[in-house]
Amino acid sequence: MKDGGEIKVKSLQKALEVLHCFVEKQPLGVTEISEKLGLYKSNVHNILMTFKAMGYLEQDPDSGKFRLGIEVFSLSRAYRQNLDISKIALPYMEKIAEETNELVYLTIPKGDEMVYVEAVYPHNQKMMGQSVAGERCKMYCTSVGKAILATMSQQEIAELIQEPLEAYTEYTITDFEALMKEVDRTRRRGYGIDNMELNFGMKCVGIVLKNHKGQVEAGLSVSAPSLRMSDETVRKTASILKAYGNEIQKML
């Protein structure tokens, strides 16, 4: 176990030590874990059944032994997205911020929302307010959200995006058919646009970041006052995003 400071909750430590046994070997039974950790079988059984109920373990119906469940994968994926991709993307986000002279965001998809992970300002602008990390917004009214929706089928989108669609500004697309047309335009041009749909006066350009398996990992976007985002600037910004996005994707 790693030394990260004083253990405050002994019962939690015990439970995590049980879970950690599966790093070395799978599947495992109650007796094996009990002997390895020196715990009563009844305690081990209760811990295992709790993890099973929460999806962190699965039990073979024939042998009765346990192996890691899907929720462990979810934790692993969340860790990778929130740590590794940030580490990879940040240097490129800084380059994008300097070339566009605008604010750059890194976001990850969660359900029908985008979760902000990182924000990088150009050097001539001061960081304003608190960190955006953890803030959420709906996919349908964000540039990166639309870019991600453009990777899905219409049926997948219909299952994910539930009406009614809330209007955040007078420009927010609240009609599902109109949203589908915008997603189709996004698919054809290769990047999404938020035209003051989330925040009045702000325009964003966003792209998808995929890993080596072709799976969506995150979204990368540039946000600026709409007066600075002419059609030509939007196209130039999208080109810069795509160029650096390709470099990021090589490492995912």
Side-chain angles (χ1 to χ4, degrees):
M1 302 295 289
K2 296 184 181 298
D3 183 11
E6 183 184 356
I7 301 297
K8 297 288 188 179
V9 185
K10 298 293 185 180
S11 58
L12 178 58
Q13 177 191 16
K14 189 180 299 182
L16 291 175
E17 285 176 345
V18 168
L19 192 63
H20 192 75
C21 289
F22 293 88
V23 174
E24 301 174 359
K25 179 185 176 183
Q26 294 185 68
L28 287 171
V30 173
T31 301
E32 292 172 272
I33 297 173
S34 175
E35 292 176 351
K36 178 178 176 61
L37 298 180
L39 301 174
Y40 290 113
K41 289 184 180 181
S42 58
N43 289 347
V44 172
H45 179 266
N46 289 339
I47 291 171
L48 291 173
M49 294 306 292
T50 300
F51 278 133
K52 177 186 175 183
M54 296 180 68
Y56 291 100
L57 291 176
E58 297 173 351
Q59 187 176 24
D60 185 288
D62 297 322
S63 68
K65 292 189 175 183
F66 298 81
R67 65 175 65 251
L68 293 176
I70 191 66
E71 287 302 320
V72 172
F73 173 78
S74 298
L75 283 178
S76 175
R77 183 170 183 270
Y79 174 82
R80 183 170 183 267
Q81 287 177 322
N82 284 282
L83 182 64
D84 290 354
I85 197 168
S86 295
K87 185 177 180 180
I88 293 168
L90 273 172
Y92 295 99
M93 292 174 67
E94 290 170 356
K95 293 178 181 179
I96 295 169
E98 292 310 302
E99 288 193 26
T100 62
N101 202 35
E102 303 293 358
L103 174 60
V104 184
Y105 287 119
L106 178 69
T107 53
I108 58 173
K110 183 69 174 178
D112 65 345
E113 297 179 317
M114 298 303 300
V115 182
Y116 289 86
V117 178
E118 300 284 356
V120 174
Y121 287 78
H123 289 154
N124 65 348
Q125 295 183 31
K126 291 183 178 180
M127 183 70 80
M128 296 172 287
Q130 297 180 342
S131 170
V132 298
E135 292 186 11
R136 296 167 178 254
C137 54
K138 295 295 184 180
M139 280 187 176
Y140 66 85
C141 56
T142 63
S143 60
V144 285
K146 292 176 188 175
I148 289 176
L149 291 176
T151 68
M152 304 178 186
S153 67
Q154 185 165 338
Q155 181 178 345
E156 289 173 327
I157 296 172
E159 292 174 354
L160 182 65
I161 306 299
Q162 300 295 314
E163 296 184 274
L165 305 182
E166 180 181 352
Y168 294 94
T169 75
E170 61 182 290
Y171 296 96
T172 307
I173 299 173
T174 56
D175 178 75
F176 188 80
E177 290 305 317
L179 176 63
M180 289 301 95
K181 291 179 180 178
E182 176 63 18
V183 169
D184 185 56
R185 285 190 288 269
T186 300
R187 190 178 292 116
R188 284 187 273 110
R189 67 177 169 237
Y191 57 90
I193 297 174
D194 161 14
N195 186 20
M196 299 192 290
E197 296 161 55
L198 181 61
N199 295 300
F200 182 79
M202 297 300 293
K203 200 167 185 175
C204 302
V205 183
I207 63 167
V208 171
L209 295 177
K210 297 181 179 180
N211 60 27
H212 65 284
K213 295 180 180 179
Q215 300 167 327
V216 172
E217 285 276 349
L220 194 63
S221 65
V222 170
S223 179
S226 56
L227 293 176
R228 294 207 294 262
M229 278 289 199
S230 65
D231 290 346
E232 181 182 358
T233 301
V234 166
R235 288 191 291 271
K236 287 182 178 178
T237 301
S239 179
I240 293 170
L241 278 170
K242 287 180 179 180
Y244 285 114
N246 286 336
E247 294 302 310
I248 294 171
Q249 289 180 135
K250 292 176 182 177
M251 294 180 279
L252 294 179

